[in-house]
């Protein structure tokens, strides 16, 4: 059901009859448009490699054909569309930058970003799923795991045969994960874990959890398999955001795991934080997708919704909002593009990524709010994607480092004075 007015073909008049006013109106009716693609105003696509463009187009079609028709239903029901996990795996979206030998696509970071942008144009829950599987589970196993761990886990994760999650946040330690109180103790057979993790994307549906815990006071990474005695993963319910995404707790009560489940090649907080840099990079692109969906809907709506005898797109205040949206989306695209180039060249710092995540998620939320405003009352309906994206983006603003934590990361970088303590 749509209550949007049908587009007018005949020009609406404002009642003026003077020749100069009507010719001025005419002049504004058929402006020469300086762009071919209203969602890529600076034609950034021309800067991507043919392979990156193909990946983007493939994910775009997947989202149009298989995500958009069903996502609202899942969002409403509070369920993740699980059948899409297999499809994302088939498209090579899990561990997309990792090498072919582990069943991965070996694509560029730019391609990874573009894929995340298209997924989040569908829903942040879908991008979250791919972020966690790729950047927070496969990346640490690839980067810090033994060769046996890589060979065993990565192909299964790439093919979607198994799903992973990443346990860092605790009930009392969110922005400050260094304070974590989950512990691992060495035993004769391996390790015993005690503690709890909270707000874990895919926690309740995952087959394997990458869990960060303190061993003799030092943060270490452990792989904990579903069904291990002493490990439970209840679902977290009642979310008004990221409803098409599973979120769980991870609870460890004398949970014994074998020695071979320790990630051997990293110690300290830089282990989990380096994974976050990967995922934050994907979010910086993903948020642009959510913003594009809101902008696209607002532009279409503004051109077809008639008030005071004219499309609302003809009002200067509405145009100002649309221009602001496209202007900020374009700036965000350029920031993400450059961040991708730096990552592909091995030159991106965590702080570069913080700037892109911080700016682009903020931008997307502002775009969503303006889009909601342009849709009037219709903006609150599930028939339009706006409120879903807006509510999702409230989580995206908080997870992977809140907006303010990224401000402090950048503040520390430019002043040399960390303000966390
Ligand atoms: P600090 O002393 O600054 O750093 C400790 C060590 O880590 C290194 N480091 C990094 N390494 C790689 N990448 C980064 N981004 C890094 N940031 C820091 C640092 O060089 C140091 O190394 P070393 O060798 O000297 O030991 O640590 P701090 O305790 O002062 O904390 C700094 C702070 C606040 C920035 C950090 O704790 C932080 O980023 N907090 C935010 C927490 C966060 O983002 N949590 C996210 C949880 S996961 C999640 O949200 C998944 S959502 C998934 C989805 O659905 O998409
Ligand atoms: P807090 O740290 O308590 O922060 C509350 C407020 O205080 C924020 O505004 C914050 O910016 C501010 N604040 C905190 N410290 C400072 C300071 N020093 N200076 C100024 N302001 C400060 N975590 C995982 O480990 N794995 C996951 O898969 C995962 N998935 C998530 C999925 C969802 C849907 C959500 C909502 C969260 C998820 N998280 C996950 C947790 C997420 O990373 C944390 O929520 C986030 O790091 C913030 O922690 P917190 O919620 O405890 O907020």
């Amino acid at each position: 059901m749509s209550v949007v007015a049908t587009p007018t073909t005949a020009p609406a008049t404002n009642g003026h009859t003077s020749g100069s006013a009507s010719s001025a109106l005419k002049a504004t009716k058929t402006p020469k448009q300086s762009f071919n693609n209203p969602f890529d105003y600076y034609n950034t696509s021309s800067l991507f490699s043919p392979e990156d463009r193909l990946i983007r187009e493939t994910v775009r079609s997947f989202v149009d054909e298989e995500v958009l028709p069903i996502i609202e239903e899942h969002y409403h029901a509070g369920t993740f569309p699980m059948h899409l996990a297999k499809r994302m795996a088939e498209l090579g979206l899990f561990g997309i930058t990792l090498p072919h030998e582990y069943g991965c696509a070996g694509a560029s970071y730019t391609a990874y970003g573009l894929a995340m942008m298209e997924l989040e144009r569908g829903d942040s829950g879908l991008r979250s799923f791919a972020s966690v599987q790729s950047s927070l589970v496969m990346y640490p196993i690839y980067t810090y795991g033994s060769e046996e761990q890589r060979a065993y886990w990565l192909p299964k994760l790439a093919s979607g045969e198994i799903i992973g999650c990443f346990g860092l946040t605790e009930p009392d330690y969110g922005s400050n994960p260094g304070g974590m109180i989950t512990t691992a103790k060495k035993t004769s057979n391996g390790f015993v874990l005690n503690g709890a993790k909270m707000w874990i994307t895919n926690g309740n549906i995952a087959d394997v959890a990458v869990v960060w815990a303190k061993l003799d006071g030092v943060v270490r990474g452990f792989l904990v398999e579903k069904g291990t005695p002493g490990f439970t993963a209840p679902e977290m319910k009642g979310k008004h955001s990221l409803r098409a995404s599973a979120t769980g707790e991870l609870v460890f009560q004398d949970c014994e795991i074998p020695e071979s489940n320790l990630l051997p090649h990293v110690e300290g907080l830089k282990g989990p934080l380096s994974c976050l840099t990967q995922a934050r990079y994907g979010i910086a692109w993903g948020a642009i997708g959510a913003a594009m969906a809101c902008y696209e809907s607002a532009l279409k709506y503004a051109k077809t919704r008639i008030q005071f005898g004219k499309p609302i797109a003809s009002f200067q205040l509405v145009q100002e909002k649309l221009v602001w949206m496209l202007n900020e989306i374009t700036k965000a695209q350029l920031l993400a593009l450059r961040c991708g180039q730096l990552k592909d060249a091995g030159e991106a710092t965590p702080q570069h990524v913080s700037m892109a995540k911080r700016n682009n998620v903020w931008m997307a939320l502002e775009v969503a709010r303006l889009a909601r405003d342009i849709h009037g009352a219709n903006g609150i309906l599930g028939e339009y994607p706006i409120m879903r994206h807006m509510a999702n983006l409230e989580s995206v603003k908080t997870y992977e480092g809140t907006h303010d934590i990224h401000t402090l990361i950048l503040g520390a970088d430019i002043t040399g004075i960390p303000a966390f303590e």
Side-chain angles (χ1 to χ4, degrees), residues 10 20 26 54 67 77 91 98 153 240 268 334 336 342:
S20 60
K26 233 179 238 160
L54 181 65
V67 177
L91 294 174
L98 299 183
W153 292 105
H240 283 252
L334 294 170
L342 289 169

Side-chain angles (χ1 to χ4, degrees), residues 166 168-169 174-175 199-201 242 398-400 402 404 408 420:
F166 177 90
L168 180 64
T169 304
S175 296
W199 290 111
I200 308 305
T201 299
L242 272 177
T398 286
Y399 68 35
E400 301 275 5
T402 66
D404 288 343
L408 298 183
F420 308 116

Side-chain angles (χ1 to χ4, degrees), residues 127-128 131-132 136 166 168-169 174-178 201 269-270 273-274 276-277 280 283 350 399-401 405 409 420-421:
R127 197 269 309 134
S128 264
S131 289
V132 170
L136 299 183
F166 177 90
L168 180 64
T169 304
S175 296
N176 175 28
T201 299
L269 205 53
K270 65 174 178 286
L273 293 181
S274 62
L276 296 182
T277 297
R280 290 166 176 172
I283 291 173
Y399 68 35
E400 301 275 5
I405 287 296
I409 289 171
F420 308 116
E421 294 87 12

Side-chain angles (χ1 to χ4, degrees), residues 308-326:
F308 299 97
K310 295 199 262 184
I312 59 169
S314 64
F315 299 124
Q316 291 175 1
L317 290 174
V318 174
Q319 288 190 3
E320 194 275 338
K321 288 172 187 149
L322 291 168
V323 169
W324 192 93
M325 292 157 92
L326 181 59

Side-chain angles (χ1 to χ4, degrees), residues 91 144 254 286:
L91 294 174
Y144 304 124
D254 294 328

Side-chain angles (χ1 to χ4, degrees), residues 167-171 173 179-187 190-197 211-216 220 222 224 228-232 250-257:
L168 180 64
T169 304
E170 300 187 355
Y173 297 93
M180 69 173 71
I181 52 175
T182 298
T183 57
K185 280 203 167 48
K186 185 83 190 75
T187 64
F191 304 95
V192 171
L193 299 186
N194 275 291
K197 301 289 176 179
V211 177
W212 300 94
K214 281 184 179 164
L215 177 66
D216 299 326
R220 301 297 302 262
F222 300 89
V224 183
T228 306
F231 171 38
T232 49
L250 310 179
V251 183
F252 308 99
Q253 285 176 313
D254 294 328
C255 170
E256 279 198 68
I257 56 168

